Amino acid sequence: NAGVTQTPKFQVLKTGQSMTLQCAQDMNHNSMYWYRQDPGMGLRLIYYSASEGTTDKGEVPNGYNVSRLNKREFSLRLESAAPSQTSVYFCASSREVGQFFGPGTRLTVL
Amino acid sequence: GENVEQHPSTLSVQEGDSAVIKCTYSDSASNYFPWYKQELGKGPQLIIDIRSNVGEKKDQRIAVTLNKTAKHFSLHITETQPEDSAVYFCAASLKTSGSRLTFGEGTQLTVNP
């Protein structure tokens, strides 16, 4: 039981490049989330998916898109990366309450 | 929307002492309050949670208390050990938003041997 897995662990992009962050969970959870973590600002919700086939904006959705590919997988896409998107990105999943987090992706945009 | 404030931002204690971290929330409809521990380079890990129908919950050396009237909740760690050193986050969940969480800004706890 791997829990929540994220790929890649580290990524460096140039301004304007695009990339997709991958997330998968093997706990049969309905809900999945994407957060970003910046120093002194805690965890901020980017997008979430309450169930397969649905997605909703969180607190800071601008510049991002998401896809709930199936019950297991929830991806986050940066279409045109900006330096302000330099951050650590965490994926999480939950059944009802009590979110479980992945190990994170550290993204640097130059 | 919900707003969660967490204090202090840093806390340093001697091994064996107790540590207390406090959070306040703004929306009286919030009904679920988890606490997470984040070690360096890792994702947050759920360590304890409390629902609004309970005033206190304890799990070995950690406990959480909730005051719904004052809209604040606290994490208590007794007999601290160096491995308790980490960043701790509180969070609150609104009834109307399912399991969406709003997080506090975190507390860096350092336990000195």
Side-chain angles (χ1 to χ4, degrees), chain A residues 5 12 17 42 60 64 67 70 74 83 100:
Chain A
T5 57
V12 178
Q17 286 186 317
V60 287
Y64 305 95
S67 295
N70 47 56
F74 189 38
F100 296 87

Side-chain angles (χ1 to χ4, degrees), chain A residues 24-35:
Chain A
Q25 53 91 10
D26 62 1
M27 296 176 282
N28 200 36
H29 286 168
N30 291 322
S31 301
M32 297 186 73
Y33 312 81
W34 276 106
Y35 293 90

Side-chain angles (χ1 to χ4, degrees), chain B residues 13-71:
Chain B
V13 299
Q14 290 298 122
E15 183 176 358
D17 286 351
S18 295
V20 180
I21 303 170
K22 299 180 179 180
C23 289
T24 59
Y25 61 99
S26 61
D27 194 324
S28 56
S30 289
N31 67 345
Y32 175 69
F33 308 92
W35 284 90
Y36 287 84
K37 176 184 180 182
Q38 186 177 26
E39 296 175 338
L40 195 61
K42 297 184 177 180
Q45 178 186 10
L46 178 66
I47 55 171
I48 195 167
D49 56 12
I50 192 167
R51 293 178 186 261
S52 60
N53 58 347
V54 176
E56 183 174 359
K57 183 177 179 181
K58 192 172 182 180
D59 182 4
Q60 298 183 335
R61 295 186 299 108
I62 60 173
V64 57
T65 58
L66 172 65
N67 183 327
K68 287 178 58 181
T69 303
K71 291 190 284 187

Side-chain angles (χ1 to χ4, degrees), chain A residues 38-103:
Chain A
D38 302 295
M41 300 190 74
L43 291 143
R44 293 183 293 168
L45 184 65
I46 305 171
Y47 270 94
Y48 71 104
S49 171
S51 61
E52 187 179 352
T54 67
T55 60
D56 285 287
K57 295 179 180 179
E59 182 184 354
V60 287
N62 291 344
Y64 305 95
N65 285 301
V66 291
S67 295
R68 183 74 183 267
L69 304 171
N70 47 56
K71 192 171 186 178
R72 290 187 63 249
E73 298 172 288
F74 189 38
S75 63
L76 178 72
R77 182 159 179 85
L78 287 71
E79 290 291 352
S80 179
S84 60
Q85 295 178 304
T86 293
S87 188
V88 182
Y89 291 85
F90 288 101
C91 177
S93 70
S94 71
R95 187 184 299 278
E96 291 179 356
V97 292
Q99 294 179 20
F100 296 87
F101 284 78

